[in-house]
Amino acid sequence: FCHGHFIGKQWYQRRVRGSLLSSHYNMKIILILGFAAIAACADYESVLQSPTALKNLFSEFSSQYHKTFSPQESGLRLRLFRSDLQRVVQLNKEKSWSSGLNQFTAMTQAEKQQYLGLNITREVVVEEA
């Protein structure tokens, strides 16, 4: 009994210490990401002031989300991207939560609408009584 109790105590201490270290590590990651988000928001404002920076961010965004646009379409997508980026900056100034870029950035309203609503992907069979 004593030996089992000792092993159990060691396991518990390692488990608790491990979770505390893990919790401490997670908190650091959250803080770092939070600071990065704040810095990114401040950077977004400067990006909007520079056409070169805007094109560079658009290129990074396109690469990250695996988006490819034809030369004819890229002008429209860049304008949509700029508009969405302006909205992100504005929301981050006004709201307590933070907004950012995502896979819906640089989409038209019609394209975004395709992702809304109920999606029934399998056939429903109704039996008659």
Side-chain angles (χ1 to χ4, degrees), residues 5 12 21 38 44-45 52 67 75 88 92 95 104 108 110:
H5 175 70
Y12 175 77
L21 288 174
I38 291 168
Y44 286 165
E45 285 189 77
T52 303
K67 296 189 180 270
V88 165
N92 288 337
K95 306 294 181 185
F104 301 107
T108 64

Side-chain angles (χ1 to χ4, degrees), residues 12-29:
Y12 175 77
Q13 287 176 341
R14 274 185 294 188
R15 182 76 177 147
V16 169
R17 282 189 190 133
S19 67
L20 289 176
L21 288 174
S22 176
S23 174
H24 182 68
Y25 177 75
N26 288 341
M27 183 58 81
K28 281 185 177 180
I29 294 295

